[in-house]
Amino acid sequence: MRVLLQRCYEASVSVEEVISEIAGGLCLLVGFTHDDTPETVEYMAKKVVGLRIFEDESEKMNISLAERGGAILSVSQFTLYADVNKGKRPSFTKSAPGEKAERLYDLFNTKLSEAGFIVETGVFGAFMDVKIINHGPITMMLDSAEMRK
């Protein structure tokens, strides 16, 4: 599982019109691969809300979303598993099949909600426009395969 996490002032997702938006917190682009499981999802949800990426009074990144509060915009993003090593056209064979990815995406958003956050989402599988006003800019790639070694 990969999550491209961006700390933001605001973010929204549109499918012809704005369908979800947040006023501040985290924008997450979320992708899944074949070997992801519900345990992977739970691990990543805890990691996202516990990361200390907001500044304290000393301007050090020392405060998590769980401590600070804020909302989450979660957008499915199968292209996070694009393979561009050969040729000029990306391959998406490393991405989980749609049905599995959708189940895991729904579970991920449920886990974030259960942790007490407002979670807005895109539409799984839809062509979406995402608007993000990144704060910092702070952008981090979380990869469950690398983090659990």
Side-chain angles (χ1 to χ4, degrees):
M1 180 176 174
R2 290 181 178 160
V3 177
L4 182 68
L5 175 149
Q6 297 185 43
R7 189 176 76 179
C8 64
Y9 282 120
E10 63 184 61
S12 65
V13 64
S14 301
V15 180
E16 297 185 24
E17 64 183 21
V18 174
I19 59 165
S20 296
E21 60 188 335
I22 62 169
L26 299 176
C27 181
L28 309 176
L29 304 179
V30 185
F32 300 93
T33 193
H34 300 279
D35 59 353
D36 288 331
T37 64
E39 290 77 23
T40 308
V41 168
E42 187 160 349
Y43 172 82
M44 291 293 276
K46 288 178 183 176
K47 190 67 157 177
V48 164
V49 300
L51 277 177
R52 298 185 320 178
I53 58 171
F54 295 92
E55 285 90 9
D56 61 16
E57 61 281 347
S58 301
E59 297 184 3
K60 302 263 189 234
M61 284 198 290
N62 205 24
I63 298 174
S64 68
L65 188 68
E67 297 165 309
R68 176 188 177 272
I72 297 170
L73 178 63
S74 173
V75 180
S76 62
Q77 185 76 50
F78 77 96
T79 61
L80 291 178
Y81 278 97
D83 182 352
V84 295
N85 290 319
K86 293 183 180 179
K88 295 183 180 179
R89 184 172 184 267
S91 167
F92 300 104
T93 59
K94 293 180 182 177
S95 297
E99 187 176 295
K100 177 180 182 174
E102 186 171 13
R103 280 194 316 272
L104 293 173
Y105 175 66
D106 290 343
L107 178 61
F108 180 65
N109 295 325
T110 297
K111 293 293 182 186
L112 295 172
S113 293
E114 287 173 352
F117 297 95
I118 295 169
V119 179
E120 298 289 335
T121 65
V123 176
F124 187 89
F127 188 85
M128 297 173 276
D129 294 321
V130 181
K131 178 181 174 184
I132 304 164
I133 300 179
N134 191 312
H135 178 134
I138 302 295
T139 301
M140 298 177 186
M141 176 63 81
L142 310 180
D143 187 324
S144 63
E146 292 176 6
M147 293 167 38
R148 296 186 106 177
K149 288 182 181 178

